[in-house]
Amino acid sequence: MKEQIQQTFKSGDTEEWLDVVWTRPIGYQWARLFDALNVHPNTVTVLSMIIGVASAYFFCFGSWRMAGTEGLIMNIIGILLLAWANFYDSADGQLARMTGKKTQLGRILDGAAGDVWFFFLYHALFIRFYQYHDAEFQWLGIENNERNTLIACIIFYIAIWVSGLFFHARQCGLSDYYRQIHLFFLKGKAGSELDSSEQQKRIYEETPWKGNVIYKLFLRTYINYTSSQEKQTPEFQRLWKTLKERYGSVDKIPQEFRDQFRSLSLPMMKWANILTFNTRAITFYISCLLDLPWLYWVMEMTVFTALYLYMRKTHEGFCKSLKLRVDS
């Protein structure tokens, strides 16, 4: 059974410890069930989105300082639902690899699932703060009046949007990109989903609107996503261009260089994993269980951002060094 589960991994290099011992084994069982029921991986992804969004409702009303035991129960239900959504998010990829039912839309949907969850989860934090801000004010020693409430809610809402659109999106997007780059040098095109914005633009332009409206809209979003990844990695883009020019095709990159890149990239995988779901979700759970909804985005804008900047600086640094070696 262990070997069968491992066959559904993207790679041993990129799997996080918690995923290996917890998420993947449970996701594999769900994948087997969905395979028996002939459920498409994309359907599983949509289900994960629905369940993840549903969890936000329970986090909205999880303040135990105001609602007591009922609030604690709401938090626990929210945690269980979000964990369930994550099992499905694991199962869709495992199912796709088990059955060979990999699609471009599936890649886009899988990448969007977490963003959909957190869009609603961020708003859940805001609603929770608005409803129970008097407890926050009392804890912080702030006078509870209409003016202070309005100011606090505006600051909180702006902080959530800045945290989500600027910090969260960039952190998760770059982490995913680095993992796909690593997978390419480890396994080649077949084992990676390393997409370029130029490639996605061609697919978008070649896809007719008739009968593909939803797919086209997702493609448009994915173009922006891949473009953002490329803008954050100028040194890698220069290295990638040099490798194409030097060897005629990225498929012809020598194994020695692939191994060298992998050895430098491997330490980055632990930071990439921290910045994706598990550590982020645990931080979210803790902030809700402590009844401090603002703690999550403070962590996201400080600790997670520091990790993001370190990962990016290190990765760009060795890409620059490798380019100089290829040019010499």
Side-chain angles (χ1 to χ4, degrees):
M1 179 64 74
K2 185 177 180 180
E3 291 182 0
Q4 291 175 320
I5 296 173
Q6 289 178 340
Q7 289 174 0
T8 66
F9 291 178
K10 291 181 179 179
S11 78
D13 284 7
T14 55
E15 291 294 334
E16 190 174 3
W17 174 82
L18 189 58
D19 283 335
V20 171
V21 302
W22 174 248
T23 309
R24 296 303 189 199
I26 296 176
Y28 177 72
Q29 298 304 326
W30 280 111
R32 290 182 62 194
L33 175 61
F34 288 129
D35 185 27
L37 296 175
N38 197 30
V39 177
H40 196 278
N42 292 355
T43 303
V44 179
T45 307
V46 173
L47 289 173
S48 81
M49 290 182 183
I50 295 171
I51 296 170
V53 169
S55 73
Y57 171 83
F58 294 92
F59 286 117
C60 282
F61 306 102
S63 176
W64 52 263
R65 282 184 290 178
M66 294 297 294
T69 303
E70 182 181 346
L72 181 60
I73 292 172
M74 296 292 271
N75 272 328
I76 293 173
I77 294 174
I79 290 171
L80 292 175
L81 284 175
L82 191 55
W84 186 8
N86 191 43
F87 292 144
Y88 276 18
D89 188 49
S90 175
D92 62 6
Q94 291 172 288
L95 180 62
R97 288 185 284 276
M98 286 166 56
T99 61
K101 295 178 180 178
K102 296 182 180 181
T103 65
Q104 181 67 9
L105 179 59
R107 160 65 174 155
I108 297 172
L109 284 173
D110 186 54
D115 292 336
V116 172
W117 300 344
F118 277 94
F119 175 84
F120 286 91
L121 290 171
Y122 284 1
H123 282 81
L125 290 182
F126 173 75
I127 294 171
R128 179 167 171 163
F129 177 81
Y130 176 75
Q131 289 182 322
Y132 307 123
H133 68 275
D134 49 347
E136 293 287 342
F137 280 10
Q138 184 178 3
W139 186 77
L140 295 170
I142 300 174
E143 182 182 353
N144 187 12
N145 56 47
E146 290 186 6
R147 179 176 176 276
N148 286 344
T149 297
L150 178 61
I151 292 173
C153 286
I154 290 174
I155 292 173
F156 197 95
Y157 195 70
I158 291 174
I160 283 177
W161 272 102
V162 170
S163 180
L165 293 177
F166 186 76
F167 294 95
H168 177 105
R170 291 168 71 87
Q171 292 164 11
C172 291
L174 190 64
S175 297
D176 178 61
Y177 195 48
Y178 283 164
R179 286 196 295 191
Q180 298 308 326
I181 291 171
H182 186 87
L183 286 168
F184 176 85
F185 282 95
L186 178 65
K187 293 187 170 184
K189 283 184 179 180
S192 170
E193 296 171 335
L194 183 58
D195 298 321
S196 69
S197 59
E198 183 180 350
Q199 172 194 22
Q200 300 311 307
K201 286 176 184 176
R202 285 199 301 270
I203 296 174
Y204 178 83
E205 291 167 358
E206 294 169 0
T207 302
W209 278 100
K210 187 176 181 180
N212 298 290
V213 174
I214 295 177
Y215 180 47
K216 289 272 283 188
L217 293 175
F218 273 113
L219 274 174
R220 182 68 260 177
T221 302
Y222 194 53
I223 290 171
N224 295 335
Y225 177 74
T226 52
S227 178
S228 174
Q229 291 174 323
E230 292 163 357
K231 288 177 181 177
Q232 293 180 75
T233 55
E235 293 299 340
F236 172 74
Q237 302 309 320
R238 295 186 185 98
L239 172 62
W240 194 239
K241 181 180 179 181
T242 299
L243 290 172
K244 289 180 180 178
E245 292 173 351
R246 178 70 179 269
Y247 300 109
S249 169
V250 291
D251 294 327
K252 298 179 181 179
I253 297 173
Q255 187 61 46
E256 181 182 358
F257 184 89
R258 290 175 180 269
D259 293 339
Q260 186 179 22
F261 189 98
R262 179 199 173 201
S263 67
L264 294 169
S265 173
L266 186 57
M268 299 297 98
M269 295 303 99
K270 62 176 178 291
W271 306 121
N273 287 331
I274 287 174
L275 291 173
T276 48
F277 180 77
N278 287 328
T279 304
R280 192 177 296 274
I282 290 170
T283 303
F284 186 90
Y285 299 156
I286 292 173
S287 68
C288 288
L289 290 171
L290 291 176
D291 217 358
L292 301 174
W294 47 267
L295 180 61
Y296 173 78
W297 55 260
V298 169
M299 288 289 291
E300 187 165 67
M301 291 193 288
T302 56
V303 176
F304 290 167
T305 296
L307 291 177
Y308 158 83
L309 292 173
Y310 171 77
M311 178 179 69
R312 181 184 176 190
K313 180 181 179 181
T314 304
H315 198 280
E316 285 286 275
F318 73 67
C319 283
K320 184 176 182 179
S321 298
L322 288 173
K323 181 182 181 302
L324 292 175
R325 294 179 196 177
V326 174
D327 288 335
S328 61

